[in-house]
């Protein structure tokens, strides 16, 4: 029947979101740009903010009440994040691809209900890739690339609202090998590529140190009650294994 509702095809949906913004005749992107700039100024002073926001994203979508497991992997050039919470649905993805979308604003049961949380991943990263269910897409600041290597030839909309459909074959092996080998329970996978890869391993407040420190605070459990465990891997080696027991974090340090 021609008039029966049809399921939304993931690639079509991502490409529609991209085209709606890329071809927006009004070019009214000032509010989006201002929001991202304000967010950057408010949050950049706290280096670990994005870690909490990723944990909150995992916390907010447990499957049938089952506590969520999380893994972080720090590689040469990427920070990889996986969790066993629910797959992103169309509404989630639309919210991620927009600015001040109402998906979490209308749901006060989610920690990130103020609608700003996920955007923190764009503060120090020029590449953000998301794999969830049949969805596979990225956001990429291509302004630093030679014109011949750019997927987007003309860029007027802010790149954090332009999702680009991404095939598995387009991913670097550094990302693909870990994601493809992951336990099937991890329904959401995210790869972040910092503007400066050195921040992953060296310098003040580098990611290695941040991830070793952040789970030392037992108060964290108050903010992520639906998360059961967090593992942190650096260059393939497990360095932190945290799980909740009787309302407190138990942290094993393998570093």
């Amino acid at each position: 029947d021609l008039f029966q509702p049809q399921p939304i095809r993931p690639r079509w949906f991502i490409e529609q979101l991209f085209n709606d913004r890329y071809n927006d005749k009004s070019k009214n992107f000032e509010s989006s740009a201002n929001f991202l700039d304000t967010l950057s100024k408010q949050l950049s002073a706290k280096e670990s903010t994005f870690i909490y926001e990723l944990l909150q994203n995992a916390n907010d979508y447990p499957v049938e009440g089952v506590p969520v497991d999380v893994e972080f992997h720090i590689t040469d050039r990427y920070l990889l994040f996986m969790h066993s919470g629910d797959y992103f649905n169309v509404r989630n993805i639309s919210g991620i691809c927009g600015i001040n979308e109402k998906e979490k604003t209308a749901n006060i049961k989610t920690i990130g209900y103020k609608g700003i949380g996920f955007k923190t991943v764009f503060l120090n990263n020029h590449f953000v890739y998301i794999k969830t269910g049949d969805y596979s897409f990225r956001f990429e600041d291509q302004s630093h690339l030679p014109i011949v290597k750019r997927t987007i030839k003309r860029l007027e909309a802010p790149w954090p609202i332009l999702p680009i459909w991404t095939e598995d074959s387009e991913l670097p092996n550094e990302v693909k090998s870990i994601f493809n080998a992951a336990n099937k329970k991890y329904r959401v996978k995210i790869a972040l590529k910092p503007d400066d890869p050195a921040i992953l391993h060296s310098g003040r407040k580098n990611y290695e140190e941040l991830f070793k420190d952040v789970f030392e605070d037992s108060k964290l459990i108050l903010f992520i009650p639906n998360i059961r465990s967090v593992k942190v891997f650096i260059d393939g080696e497990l360095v932190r294994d945290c799980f909740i027991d009787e309302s407190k974090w138990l942290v094993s340090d393998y570093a």
Side-chain angles (χ1 to χ4, degrees):
D1 190 327
L2 185 62
F3 298 102
Q4 287 295 317
Q6 299 297 315
I8 292 177
R9 291 175 286 112
R11 179 165 186 161
W12 173 87
F13 184 61
I14 293 299
E15 291 177 345
Q16 282 295 115
L17 289 173
F18 177 93
N19 289 331
D20 285 348
R21 293 161 173 78
Y22 187 74
N23 298 317
D24 185 353
K25 298 296 190 296
S26 71
K27 305 301 180 192
N28 184 26
F29 301 124
E30 184 176 357
S31 61
S32 296
N34 288 343
F35 176 86
L36 292 167
D37 182 59
T38 300
L39 186 63
S40 176
K41 291 176 180 176
Q42 289 179 344
L43 299 178
S44 59
K46 182 67 173 175
E47 294 90 346
S48 57
T49 297
F50 75 96
I51 300 176
Y52 297 113
E53 293 297 347
L54 289 172
L55 290 172
Q56 287 175 1
N57 179 271
N59 176 88
D60 288 346
Y61 299 103
V63 179
E64 297 179 351
V66 176
V68 179
D69 295 317
V70 171
E71 283 189 13
F72 288 99
H73 292 253
I74 298 175
T75 69
D76 279 348
R77 295 177 298 159
Y78 292 87
L79 171 64
L80 308 182
F81 169 71
M82 302 183 281
H83 71 72
S84 64
D86 209 355
Y87 296 111
F88 289 172
N89 58 34
V90 168
R91 182 177 293 180
N92 302 146
I93 290 172
S94 179
I96 287 170
C97 296
I99 298 292
N100 273 335
E101 296 285 350
K102 302 301 182 182
E103 191 270 320
K104 282 195 175 181
T105 304
N107 184 3
I108 62 174
K109 292 183 179 180
T110 61
I111 294 174
Y113 76 96
K114 294 183 185 299
I116 66 169
F118 192 82
K119 290 298 180 288
T120 61
V121 303
F122 297 111
L123 294 184
N124 297 310
N125 302 290
H126 63 263
F127 176 100
V128 177
Y129 168 75
I130 299 172
K131 170 69 176 176
T132 180
D134 293 328
Y135 287 88
S136 177
F137 60 99
R138 73 185 188 275
F139 301 90
E140 184 176 14
D141 180 3
Q142 300 187 1
S143 61
H144 66 288
L145 297 176
I147 292 178
V148 294
K149 291 187 176 182
R150 296 182 188 181
T151 305
I152 308 170
K153 304 302 182 185
R154 170 181 56 84
L155 187 62
E156 295 183 44
W159 65 271
I161 67 170
L162 290 172
I164 304 169
W165 183 260
T166 306
E167 298 291 347
D168 189 70
S169 59
E170 299 177 67
L171 294 175
N173 288 333
E174 193 172 333
V175 173
K176 187 163 48 177
S177 61
I178 294 175
F179 281 174
N180 289 348
N183 190 302
K184 299 297 183 184
K185 70 179 178 180
Y186 292 116
R187 298 177 179 88
V188 176
K189 304 182 181 78
I190 299 174
L192 311 176
K193 187 175 184 181
D195 302 332
D196 179 7
I199 197 176
L200 291 165
H201 304 282
S202 62
R204 180 181 176 275
K205 293 296 184 181
N206 66 78
Y207 286 9
E208 285 194 22
E209 297 303 319
L210 282 177
F211 278 90
K212 289 175 183 176
D213 293 343
V214 73
F215 300 106
E216 296 295 339
D217 185 359
S218 61
K219 294 178 183 177
L220 185 62
I221 186 59
L222 298 175
F223 300 98
I224 52 171
N226 296 324
I227 289 184
R228 172 173 53 193
S229 69
V230 180
K231 296 183 187 309
V232 179
F233 295 82
I234 297 178
D235 295 329
E237 298 293 329
L238 180 64
V239 299
R240 278 285 188 275
D241 190 359
C242 318
F243 66 93
I244 294 170
D245 182 63
E246 297 181 355
S247 299
K248 63 181 179 182
W249 278 110
L250 297 182
V251 181
S252 297
D253 182 1
Y254 298 99

